[in-house]
């Protein structure tokens, strides 16, 4: 069973930056469309960004121009560079294969005003 482990979260001031990492446990990761998702307290999980095996990307309107998703298929890694962070970006961030229903622990991002 493939597993994804997120890391890189933390506490930052408004306007700051963080880079999140997602490590996949299997080499078949290279064939997946991958997504970054986030869930704030009391809210449902939402899609933040996606990236195809070939590197095509898409972003939620709320993060366009601020976040960049990338992947390194040789290393089974996906990244999310987050710049110009806002308090409303505060959430637990998860990575997952598109359409997969199992979720890992995520990584906490907290942005102070």
């Amino acid at each position: 069973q493939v597993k994804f482990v997120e890391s890189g979260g933390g506490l930052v001031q408004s306007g700051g930056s963080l880079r999140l990492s997602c490590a996949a446990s299997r080499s078949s990761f290279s064939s997946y469309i991958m997504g970054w998702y986030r869930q704030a307290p009391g809210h449902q999980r939402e899609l933040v960004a996606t990236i195809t095996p070939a590197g095509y990307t898409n972003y939620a309107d709320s993060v366009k121009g601020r976040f960049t998703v990338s992947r390194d298929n040789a290393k089974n890694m996906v990244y999310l560079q987050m710049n110009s962070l806002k308090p409303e970006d505060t959430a637990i961030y998860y990575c997952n294969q598109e359409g997969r229903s199992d979720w890992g622990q995520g990584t906490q991002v907290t942005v102070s005003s």
Side-chain angles (χ1 to χ4, degrees), residues 4-6 92-94 103-108:
F4 302 104
V5 179
E6 302 90 346
I92 301 174
Y93 284 71
Y94 304 87
W103 300 88
Q105 295 297 312
T107 186
Q108 176 71 50

Side-chain angles (χ1 to χ4, degrees), residues 5-83:
V5 179
E6 302 90 346
S7 62
L11 173 63
V12 298
Q13 295 183 167
S14 181
S17 297
L18 284 172
R19 190 190 192 214
L20 306 185
S21 297
C22 172
S25 63
R26 302 196 313 187
S27 60
S28 59
F29 153 85
S30 62
S31 68
Y32 304 156
I33 296 174
M34 292 294 298
W36 282 99
Y37 307 77
R38 67 186 182 188
Q39 187 169 27
H43 294 75
Q44 70 178 51
R45 187 168 48 243
E46 64 176 347
L47 181 64
V48 175
T50 60
I51 184 165
T52 72
Y56 296 102
T57 60
N58 196 27
Y59 300 91
D61 287 343
S62 59
V63 307
K64 258 177 200 168
R66 301 188 298 121
F67 291 10
T68 303
V69 62
S70 61
R71 69 192 297 162
D72 185 339
N73 289 334
K75 296 181 178 179
N76 294 338
M77 296 289 292
V78 186
Y79 307 96
L80 185 68
Q81 179 67 47
M82 305 186 296
N83 299 325

